[in-house]
């Protein structure tokens, strides 16, 4: 049985909770309707911060109305079950939502940041943030006006926790990618890294991702069904 499992999740795991994905083959993803270069880059924020705030304020409202689905719940249960068996789950997500945490996952690594946090560009501190954000808000930590931004990794910025992520991948005996299109690096490169390490690789997605060919095994279906099924199989094989 695999005891040290490294899981990477993407927008597909939260799709059935009502949060939109960024890309899909039908062209209905968030980045088909909104231009990421005008909303998700440091340059866009410098040019028009209120427009960027407006985009993330809408997404924050959407998130606060959403609830975790069966995929989030199954992954939280897997974390507990593996720990009881002397194993370990590393859960890395590209998602900026908190649905893994709300389902009970205890150690979630948010490599692209968190929508419910504000970051101060002056003092760099993070503040929990559940309401709309605007240029009129002062940083609650240092009081500086016009210094808050969403705690999101934008295009052109370095993802967070890469050292911890690669260290965990080095110790894993299985890599599982769930609900991600495999089109944004460095996360899209984790499967190649896992293969180089000789780790078993597995994809769960609604449809073939951009890097599906790189996986040892793939399974296609809705995350809310495919993930609980896979978790049950993993736990039965112990
Ligand atoms: P994408 O929107 O690129 O891909 C979503 C994936 O989820 C696709 O491969 C879909 O097939 C799959 N999917 C959709 N519904 C599903 C379901 N019900 N069950 C299982 N799979 C489903 O999302 P990510 O790969 O997460 O970055 O995108 C990576 C990054 O690109 C995001 O973190 C975001 C974006 O720009 C930032 O905003 C920094």
């Amino acid at each position: 049985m695999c005891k040290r499992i490294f899981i990477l999740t993407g927008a597909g795991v939260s799709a059935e909770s009502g949060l939109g994905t960024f890309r899909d083959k039908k062209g209905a993803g968030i980045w088909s309707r909104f231009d990421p270069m005008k909303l998700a880059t440091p340059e866009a924020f410098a040019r028009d911060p209120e427009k960027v705030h407006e985009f993330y304020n809408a997404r924050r409202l959407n998130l606060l109305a959403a609830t975790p689905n069966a995929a989030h719940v199954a992954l939280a249960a897997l974390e507990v079950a593996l720990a009881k068996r002397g194993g370990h789950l590393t859960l890395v997500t590209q998602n900026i939502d908190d649905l893994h945490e709300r389902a009970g996952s205890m150690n979630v690594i948010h490599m692209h940041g968190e929508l419910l946090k504000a970051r101060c560009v002056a003092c760099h501190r993070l503040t929990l943030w559940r309401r709309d954000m605007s240029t009129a808000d002062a940083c609650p930590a240092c009081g500086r006006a016009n210094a808050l931004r969403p705690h999101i990794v934008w295009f052109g910025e370095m993802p967070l926790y890469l050292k911890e992520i690669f260290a965990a991948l080095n110790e894993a005996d299985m890599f599982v990618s769930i609900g991600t299109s495999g089109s944004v690096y460095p996360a899209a490169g984790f499967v190649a890294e896992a293969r180089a390490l000789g780790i078993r690789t597995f994809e769960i997605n609604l449809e073939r991702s951009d890097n599906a060919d790189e996986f040892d095994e793939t399974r296609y279906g809705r995350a809310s069904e495919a993930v609980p099924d896979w978790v049950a199989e993993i736990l039965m094989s112990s």
Side-chain angles (χ1 to χ4, degrees), residues 82-212:
L82 281 180
K84 277 191 189 148
R85 289 161 163 79
H88 182 75
L89 176 71
T90 299
L91 181 54
V92 175
T93 188
Q94 296 166 90
N95 298 344
I96 55 174
D97 65 59
D98 66 340
L99 297 181
H100 282 306
E101 286 91 340
R102 279 199 259 153
S105 287
M106 288 167 289
N107 295 301
V108 187
I109 300 177
H110 284 275
M111 65 180 291
H112 288 169
E114 293 169 78
L115 187 56
L116 299 184
K117 288 183 182 165
R119 191 194 314 157
C120 176
V121 296
C123 74
H124 307 293
R125 263 177 281 189
L126 299 178
T127 306
L128 287 177
W129 204 273
R130 298 174 68 84
R131 58 187 173 84
D132 282 358
M133 197 183 296
S134 83
T135 50
D137 290 307
C139 169
C142 71
R144 171 100 169 251
N146 196 14
L148 291 183
R149 57 166 279 181
H151 179 49
I152 310 285
V153 174
W154 286 323
F155 289 101
E157 296 184 320
M158 191 64 91
L160 308 170
Y161 308 114
L162 288 180
K163 200 170 153 213
E164 291 84 346
I165 288 170
F166 283 107
L169 196 52
N170 262 281
E171 294 194 348
D173 48 30
M174 184 178 195
F175 170 75
V176 186
S177 173
I178 304 174
T180 171
S181 59
S183 56
V184 176
Y185 285 81
F190 293 171
V191 60
E193 180 74 16
R195 286 180 75 91
L197 291 164
I199 301 168
R200 194 176 143 206
T201 57
F202 185 55
E203 161 168 279
I204 300 176
N205 203 314
L206 196 57
E207 53 198 4
R208 287 179 71 74
S209 66
D210 289 358
N211 55 4

Side-chain angles (χ1 to χ4, degrees), residues 1-141:
M1 181 220 175
C2 292
K3 279 201 162 167
R4 300 190 71 81
I5 302 179
F6 182 115
I7 294 183
L8 170 70
T9 63
V13 85
S14 296
E16 291 164 74
S17 293
L19 304 185
T21 59
F22 296 95
R23 309 165 186 82
D24 68 19
K25 303 232 156 94
K26 293 184 204 110
I30 292 171
W31 293 150
S32 308
R33 289 177 284 125
F34 298 96
D35 181 352
M37 293 305 120
K38 292 189 177 141
L39 294 165
T41 67
E43 294 77 17
F45 189 62
R47 210 163 37 234
D48 193 346
E50 287 304 354
K51 187 173 176 183
V52 173
H53 280 311
E54 191 186 321
F55 173 71
Y56 285 103
N57 287 343
R59 303 203 59 223
R60 196 177 295 106
L61 267 184
N62 189 196
L63 170 57
L64 291 171
T67 50
N69 65 55
H72 299 105
V73 172
L75 295 179
L78 180 62
E79 181 180 13
V80 173
L82 281 180
K84 277 191 189 148
R85 289 161 163 79
H88 182 75
L89 176 71
T90 299
L91 181 54
V92 175
T93 188
Q94 296 166 90
N95 298 344
I96 55 174
D97 65 59
D98 66 340
L99 297 181
H100 282 306
E101 286 91 340
R102 279 199 259 153
S105 287
M106 288 167 289
N107 295 301
V108 187
I109 300 177
H110 284 275
M111 65 180 291
H112 288 169
E114 293 169 78
L115 187 56
L116 299 184
K117 288 183 182 165
R119 191 194 314 157
C120 176
V121 296
C123 74
H124 307 293
R125 263 177 281 189
L126 299 178
T127 306
L128 287 177
W129 204 273
R130 298 174 68 84
R131 58 187 173 84
D132 282 358
M133 197 183 296
S134 83
T135 50
D137 290 307
C139 169

